[in-house]
Amino acid sequence: MSARDVVKEANPAFYKRYSRLEDSDEFWEFLIRPLRQSIRVNTLKAPLEVIVERLREEFELEPIPWVREGFFINVDNLAKVPEHGLGLIFGQEASSMIPPVVLDPKPGELVLDMAAAPGGSKTGQIAQYMQNEGGCIIANDPNRDRANILMANLNRMGVLIARVTTRDGGSFARFENTFDKVLLDAPCSSVGMIRKSWRFLREWREKAVVKYMNIQKRLILAGYRALKPGGVMVYSTCTIDPLENEEVVDYLLRKTDARLERIDLPVKTSEPVLEWEGKEYSEELKKALRIHPNDNDTEAFFIAKIVKPGDGGE
C-alpha cells in the first residue's frame, strides 16, 4: 500500500484537505516516515568541540546545516547515551531548532518564551545563545504539570537565567513594550509530529485546527503587544495548515504595525500559501519559512520573523 493510501485510509478528511496543499508522492511518504534522531549539543555544560569529539568515538554524526550545535545521530535510544543523562546533549527535532536561531537572543536581553513546555528544548537553546549570563528568559506554560517537566529539563541543561511561569499566554499583553525578544512556538494541530506518533494523524480534526487558530491569534497579539519597539518576535508551529500559519501572521499584520523580515538560512522550503479557501494573504508572507517533511527530511514547520517598528527600525 502506498503512503498516500495509508493516509487516505487512516483519515480521509485529512487527506482531502492537505492534498490541496501538496500532492506529490514524496510529500505523503515523508509525512509518515519515522523521524531521524537529532540532538542539540548543550554548550552551557561543555565546549561544542569536546562533546562532538567524544560522541564521534561511538556514533555517526551528521551536522544540521542551519544550526551549529545540531546533529543527526545514529542511535536508537537516546536515554542510553550517558551524555544525554548528564545534560551535555538534548534530543531535539532538527527543524524545531530553527525558531531560536531566527530569534537570535543576546546576553543581557529580556526574552519571553510564551509556550515553553513541556520539553523546554527551545528555552535551553535560547539560554545557550544568551550564554547563560545577564538578562532573563520568562519560560511560560499555563499547565502546572508541564511546567514541572520544563523546570526539570532546564535544571538538567544547567539553565540559570530562566524563570518559569504558569500564566495564560494572553495575559502577557499587559506587559506592553517590555521584552526585547518574544518566541511564540504556538500550540497547534501538530501535523508535523505524525512522524513521531501515528495518533496525530488518527486524531486530526478540522474543528481542532479552527480551535487552535483562535488561540494562536489571541497569543500572537498578546506577544506582539509585550514586545519592545525595535524588538523581534518569532512565531512558529509544527503544522502545515494555512489557518494556523499564514492566516495567523496575516491577522497580526492587518491588526498592527508589525512587519516581517526575510529569514536567511540554508534550509529547503515550500512556497508560503498566499491564498487559501478563497481568502488572500499579504505578499509579506513570502518572507516566512514553510517547511514540509519532504523538504529536509524533518518535521513540518512554519516560522515567521516579526519586527515591531521603532528604536531605529523603519
Side-chain angles (χ1 to χ4, degrees):
M1 192 187 276
S2 71
R4 179 191 297 271
D5 291 332
V6 169
V7 174
K8 203 184 290 188
E9 191 174 283
N11 194 326
F14 178 98
Y15 178 80
K16 184 181 177 186
R17 182 169 181 82
Y18 296 126
S19 59
R20 291 157 46 206
L21 202 58
E22 183 174 345
D23 200 24
S24 66
D25 290 338
E26 195 183 40
F27 171 72
W28 297 113
E29 281 162 22
F30 278 88
L31 189 75
I32 63 172
R33 182 183 290 186
L35 266 177
R36 294 188 282 175
Q37 179 65 60
S38 52
I39 56 163
R40 176 175 50 80
V41 173
N42 180 15
T43 55
L44 297 180
K45 290 208 162 180
L48 179 67
E49 296 74 19
V50 173
I51 302 173
V52 168
E53 191 180 330
R54 165 69 195 89
L55 289 171
R56 283 198 198 277
E57 291 172 11
E58 219 173 317
F59 306 103
E60 286 174 31
L61 298 183
E62 181 192 330
I64 295 170
W66 49 87
V67 54
R68 186 172 161 263
E69 312 83 15
F71 297 87
F72 294 108
I73 183 170
N74 65 326
V75 64
D76 292 330
N77 186 356
L78 209 51
K80 290 181 179 174
V81 180
E83 287 80 4
H84 182 260
L86 293 167
L88 295 168
I89 62 171
F90 205 76
Q92 186 174 346
E93 203 284 317
S95 55
S96 88
M97 299 182 204
I98 297 173
V101 171
V102 174
L103 192 68
D104 192 24
K106 300 282 194 285
E109 290 185 330
L110 182 58
V111 178
L112 172 61
D113 188 349
M114 288 182 81
S121 48
K122 294 182 189 70
T123 317
Q125 195 178 348
I126 289 168
Q128 261 181 245
Y129 298 156
M130 293 173 70
Q131 295 165 24
N132 224 7
E133 58 187 50
C136 181
I137 306 163
I138 303 298
N140 183 68
D141 194 277
N143 182 309
R144 282 182 179 272
D145 291 339
R146 286 162 58 101
N148 282 333
I149 299 168
L150 171 64
M151 283 190 278
N153 282 339
L154 293 178
N155 283 337
R156 184 155 64 87
M157 283 187 263
V159 173
L160 303 174
I161 58 169
R163 298 291 176 269
V164 174
T165 58
T166 52
R167 310 171 68 97
D168 173 84
S171 69
F172 284 97
R174 58 190 276 233
F175 300 102
E176 195 171 357
N177 301 334
T178 298
F179 293 90
D180 297 293
K181 304 273 167 73
V182 175
L183 173 62
L184 173 53
D185 186 50
C188 70
S189 61
S190 303
V191 171
M193 291 178 71
I194 289 168
R195 298 187 65 172
K196 275 188 191 149
S197 173
W198 204 238
R199 75 178 177 85
F200 290 109
L201 174 60
R202 279 200 315 268
E203 296 174 5
W204 178 92
R205 298 292 181 271
E206 192 171 332
K207 66 182 181 187
V209 170
V210 175
K211 180 192 85 172
Y212 280 118
M213 176 193 73
N214 290 323
I215 293 168
Q216 291 152 354
K217 285 181 174 179
R218 189 168 65 86
L219 292 178
I220 201 171
L221 279 183
Y224 186 73
R225 190 178 171 96
L227 185 67
K228 278 182 184 172
V232 171
M233 176 180 186
V234 170
Y235 175 79
S236 60
T237 73
C238 60
T239 195
I240 58 174
D241 203 293
L243 290 187
E244 298 180 77
N245 294 328
E246 288 89 352
E247 166 76 33
V248 173
V249 177
D250 184 76
Y251 174 80
L252 178 72
L253 294 175
R254 284 188 287 108
K255 289 278 185 187
T256 68
D257 59 354
R259 58 186 182 84
L260 295 194
E261 258 185 24
R262 198 169 294 285
I263 299 166
D264 184 22
L265 285 175
V267 57
K268 292 177 188 163
T269 60
S270 294
E271 284 294 310
V273 175
L274 298 182
E275 190 274 329
W276 184 253
E277 295 174 334
K279 186 170 183 180
E280 292 187 10
Y281 300 133
S282 167
E283 291 279 323
E284 281 281 288
L285 268 304
K286 286 181 179 174
K287 296 174 181 173
L289 300 186
R290 165 177 277 278
I291 298 168
H292 290 182
N294 47 310
D295 288 330
N296 307 277
D297 190 8
T298 63
E299 271 186 9
F301 240 82
F302 178 86
I303 304 108
K305 183 179 183 181
I306 299 155
V307 177
K308 190 181 232 183
D311 284 10
E314 290 170 24

